[in-house]
Amino acid sequence: MISGADDAITRDGKALILAYDHGIEHGPVDFEPNPATADPERVFDLATHDAVTALAVGKGVAESYYPSYEDDVALLAKLNGTSNLWMGEPDSAVNWSVDHAADLGADAIGFTLYGGSNNEVEMAEEFRDAQEGAREHDMGVVMWSYPRGQGLKNDTSPDTIAYAARLGLELGADVVKVKYPGSGEAMAKAARMAGPTKVVMSGGSKTNDVAFLETVAAALDGGAEGLAVGRNVFQRENPGEILDALEALMFEGATVEEALTYTSAVAADD
Amino acid sequence: MISGADDAITRDGKALILAYDHGIEHGPVDFEPNPATADPERVFDLATHDAVTALAVGKGVAESYYPSYEDDVALLAKLNGTSNLWMGEPDSAVNWSVDHAADLGADAIGFTLYGGSNNEVEMAEEFRDAQEGAREHDMGVVMWSYPRGQGLKNDTSPDTIAYAARLGLELGADVVKVKYPGSGEAMAKAARMAGPTKVVMSGGSKTNDVAFLETVAAALDGGAEGLAVGRNVFQRENPGEILDALEALMFEGATVEEALTYTSAVAADD
Amino acid sequence: MISGADDAITRDGKALILAYDHGIEHGPVDFEPNPATADPERVFDLATHDAVTALAVGKGVAESYYPSYEDDVALLAKLNGTSNLWMGEPDSAVNWSVDHAADLGADAIGFTLYGGSNNEVEMAEEFRDAQEGAREHDMGVVMWSYPRGQGLKNDTSPDTIAYAARLGLELGADVVKVKYPGSGEAMAKAARMAGPTKVVMSGGSKTNDVAFLETVAAALDGGAEGLAVGRNVFQRENPGEILDALEALMFEGATVEEALTYTSAVAADD
Amino acid sequence: MISGADDAITRDGKALILAYDHGIEHGPVDFEPNPATADPERVFDLATHDAVTALAVGKGVAESYYPSYEDDVALLAKLNGTSNLWMGEPDSAVNWSVDHAADLGADAIGFTLYGGSNNEVEMAEEFRDAQEGAREHDMGVVMWSYPRGQGLKNDTSPDTIAYAARLGLELGADVVKVKYPGSGEAMAKAARMAGPTKVVMSGGSKTNDVAFLETVAAALDGGAEGLAVGRNVFQRENPGEILDALEALMFEGATVEEALTYTSAVAADD
Amino acid sequence: MISGADDAITRDGKALILAYDHGIEHGPVDFEPNPATADPERVFDLATHDAVTALAVGKGVAESYYPSYEDDVALLAKLNGTSNLWMGEPDSAVNWSVDHAADLGADAIGFTLYGGSNNEVEMAEEFRDAQEGAREHDMGVVMWSYPRGQGLKNDTSPDTIAYAARLGLELGADVVKVKYPGSGEAMAKAARMAGPTKVVMSGGSKTNDVAFLETVAAALDGGAEGLAVGRNVFQRENPGEILDALEALMFEGATVEEALTYTSAVAADD
């Protein structure tokens, strides 16, 4: 990682990435719980919230909407991705060149690596080109480090996530996005393995705000420097509330209890 | 999509694409019902009709005929395509470079993506190069988004077509051409998923003008912004009539009933 | 096709291509009936006959001999080809770059496409590069369109040859070389499918001049604009005679009967 | 090899390479015996020891730490490497371009070749590009020559290691890193096969300093011009001691017995 | 072939190539009969003999030794080669770029083609690039034409060798190196097939100088314009003797009997 390379997509050194690549990765089924979420404009509006430090979208969505939001949103250009219509060994097409992303004004690039897949070698080499291209354009580099494929049974075990985080450091990411490994302790190990590369967790409970915020707090305590959110936020009726809560928790020193006051959530045991 | 990138191939924001890539995709068998249709000149003449907003052909046909029609026809350069002599997992050769298409004066490029095919990743990366090349030449981008291949049983189900339309948006097409998903409602969903990317339907009844025009009307009502026609138009004895009808329906506010007066068709139940 | 792009390899708009790529495609076995034919010089001398509008050879043969014949022979640079030592799915190596062929003074390029082969997609993309390179150098483009490979049982059926001819038009060849489909009528269909792209037939009887010339006459009547000859001509003791006959038939308005007077052949029923 | 190309990574013509690519090749499991070793800074500090002539790390680690150590550490940019999450035929992704390594100030490149793997041909061609790129930047070239894959049962047999060393010479490495083949005599053969290319041994006992230093001495006596160390050094509580011992042995003419005085190790038979 | 392109590696139009690529192709086992032969310097010294018209070595060996011999030895840069640790379908890695070879002062390039291998198409395309690159640098082109792989049972049959020789001509080699096909007559056929491309034989008896020189004489009488020697020469105790004999035979008009006086060999029937 390059010191400061992530400044444009972090706040006080921490990242809250709003990810919106579901249209390509999963398709319209992800928008069904709340049909309004199919509209990227809604998500771009959400990304203007002060808690959100970067919005991750694909090329077409960025081309269509980013020009109207470039002053208010930091663009994390998600370069690769593939539909789930395809069912082979995990792989991901590079749908967006670094140069095109830079022309559009992207602040950083995002790239998925499926370590352990039969396509790992090829993906790592594609990542190399993307990472080095980003360096030339002074853009940050975020790796979605998701071990997957032949031989990997449980891709969220602490050891696998620690390895995934380390790959972020070894291969030159400024930020590495990993699945939540189940505990703050496991997250701490992953963070330690990533060294100066910042670890952001993805995932967490979608149904219970208390559990979700406690997981986030545990991850942050463990050394994660942020999180990536998607459906858990944008599918809500009032997504601004949870962003308010996350802002309090991540950037304003609030406790989980204090942060919860921003949401209409009720305690898990209610 | 880039706002305005499709202006050269639309009229009032709507597209009526005359597609004539059958010679490569299916071969001479598609010309047998009306042998005169093997002659590209006949189709270029047809494309001068005011209803037609773009003519999609391959490189060789464009090289041979477009220079004589460049003032009267908008050229949609269909870059990839493959004969059906070949029977493997769906794939498509890139037969035409963007630069060559631009030199010939093309207004937009057309590109097929077989989402779900074992070749999806490679095709998506070829699309990336084509799409970004088109941007450099200020040409519009039309995606033939046709999920196909291993694991896809019914490639015109509403869910598949909605996903296909979304891929057009996500990957950077200005216009996405999808199969008709069976109902106006399903088409509406596809259009909603595509956001600002324009959806054009392909297909529809070949034997019954009433049914065909009602399908078109339903698709337009559903949010499609046009259609792509091929054999259904150029194989007719009097293809100008159906183009007159489509022009009335699409661009002049006519009802299906009014549009039908331009054709010699009789009602389905006659 | 580009109007006039084939001028350097045609006479009165018709082509008589002398093909001499047997050394790579079949090896020395093709020279055994007449060992002198192994010497390219003999074939270059033959190519200076006024009836021959172009000589198709590979890079090495052209490098060695063409400089001595460049004023008298039109060079058709056969870019791809493969030995038959190899027995896999039909494929062909690109042994010669367009730039090198242009430097050597080639008038046109020749390229084999095995439609229907598992390698069709790759070969079509190689053809794209060759064809577009030829355009940059103002060289003509001749496609050897030979459907072959998995799923093709009879590659000279009228339907297959018609499709082969159409591929020449669709992909941008100026001239397309196809196997003789068995009748003048079938050839006429192929020629109609190729539109402005010129169809030349390859093959025909090797043992009977009457039958051979009648086949040629039928092909020309059917719309073919020439033929490609190889062993049938260069293996003869007096190949000049059959070239005289072909010249009379193709370029001087002679009947088959009149053309036969140039040869020492006897009628089939003699 | 180019005379002098290795000067920046040798001392008196000999190399002591500290290798720290375990984070990518094996993952966090290699840091478990001494968790502090996960921190690259600790290893960079260790590399400032006068005994260490070069530090081999991957791109991300180099980007993060090398700028602070560039005056005190010679950087050996390990260009390729792959996680062991992946279990196919041995292969290695090229994660770092030569140009990027040169920009960062690397003194030499390191590259793994798995001779005997089904990927040998591809890896050798990748090595070619890396080696020639290094020549352009006046960087040294170190090959990790590790025969592995289909058909290789014992990859440390004297014959295999001799072949591995020879490949270093043949393909253009300045230094070739091979596994210890079991005896000083076998190492001598490997060194003889490598000619002017310097052979460095990797491996050796991890539990017994006497045995380790005797192996090193035997290798040096056999003609090896150095060694590569990793876990055996950095996992120790006091890694400086063994480096002191190696410095005495390699650069100051000490005997094994004398060198042992620098360590807290006891004799094997104690 | 280009007239004169081989001047730097021939003498009186004939070639005696000393080949020393055994270190990569076979490994140290080839040096065991005479361990001193592992040292490239010994072979470079040998190559200064007036009988030797070119020395074929790989990149690393050339980098290490050629600068000291560039006034006395003609360098034939053997661009591709692969270890026999690998056991798949015959293939060969391109270990050396033409540009790098030219920078080093190579007089010609050498390239292996395994006609008949599943990798023939790829190898032929790699040869194309190498051959055309050599033309740009005015270097000669030598093809090692070795049919091998699926379907080839006896790769030294007269027909196979004749085909191999022809491929040299067809693909643009100035010199083609083939296995000895067993008789002067068979060699004559191969030479006739290669036309102006010079055929050099490789192989021949290693144990009997009479038989070896008689084979060479038969090959030269048959039309071969030289030979390639390796172990048969450099493994000898007094390799200069056999080179003296070959010089007499090839360049000074000596008979086999006369040439034998230069060697310490005895007649086969002694």
Side-chain angles (χ1 to χ4, degrees), chain D residues 48-108:
Chain D
T48 63
H49 191 289
D50 282 349
V52 177
T53 65
L55 173 64
V57 293
K59 177 168 67 177
V61 172
E63 273 192 347
S64 301
Y65 296 92
Y66 187 61
S68 304
Y69 290 85
E70 59 190 358
D71 295 334
D72 304 308
V73 171
L75 178 60
L76 173 46
K78 184 70 197 328
L79 301 188
N80 63 349
T82 293
S83 85
N84 66 13
L85 292 168
W86 180 71
M87 302 182 182
E89 177 73 3
D91 199 359
S92 194
V94 183
N95 298 310
W96 197 353
S97 75
V98 173
D99 288 347
H100 185 286
D103 285 351
L104 205 66
D107 296 283

Side-chain angles (χ1 to χ4, degrees), chain B residues 12 22 25 40 52 90 102 114 154 158 160 166 170 184 191 198 213 220 224 240 242 244:
Chain B
D12 302 342
H22 307 72
E25 296 286 345
V52 177
Y114 293 136
N154 177 5
T160 297
R166 183 72 183 196
E170 295 279 345
K198 292 175 180 175
L213 291 175
L220 294 172
I242 191 71
D244 291 341

Side-chain angles (χ1 to χ4, degrees), chain A residues 179-204:
Chain A
K179 303 274 184 185
Y180 184 66
S183 72
E185 185 187 359
M187 186 52 97
K189 181 178 179 188
R192 209 166 54 240
M193 291 304 144
T197 295
K198 292 176 180 174
V199 174
V200 298
M201 67 164 257
S202 82

Side-chain angles (χ1 to χ4, degrees), chain C residues 109-183:
Chain C
I109 60 156
F111 206 97
T112 297
L113 177 73
Y114 293 135
S117 159
N118 280 333
N119 298 304
E120 175 184 335
V121 168
E122 183 186 3
M123 293 182 82
E125 296 184 346
E126 292 168 343
F127 176 77
R128 172 200 65 215
D129 290 340
Q131 194 263 5
E132 298 185 2
R135 292 295 178 238
E136 285 174 18
H137 290 289
D138 290 319
M139 293 192 288
V141 175
V142 182
M143 179 192 284
W144 272 234
S145 190
Y146 288 178
R148 186 171 300 189
Q150 49 103 283
L152 278 171
K153 295 209 182 70
N154 176 5
D155 62 4
T156 59
S157 72
D159 282 354
T160 297
I161 299 304
Y163 204 157
R166 183 73 184 195
L167 290 177
L169 166 63
E170 295 279 344
L171 299 176
D174 301 308
V175 176
V176 63
K177 179 171 176 272
V178 296
K179 304 275 184 183
Y180 184 65
S183 71

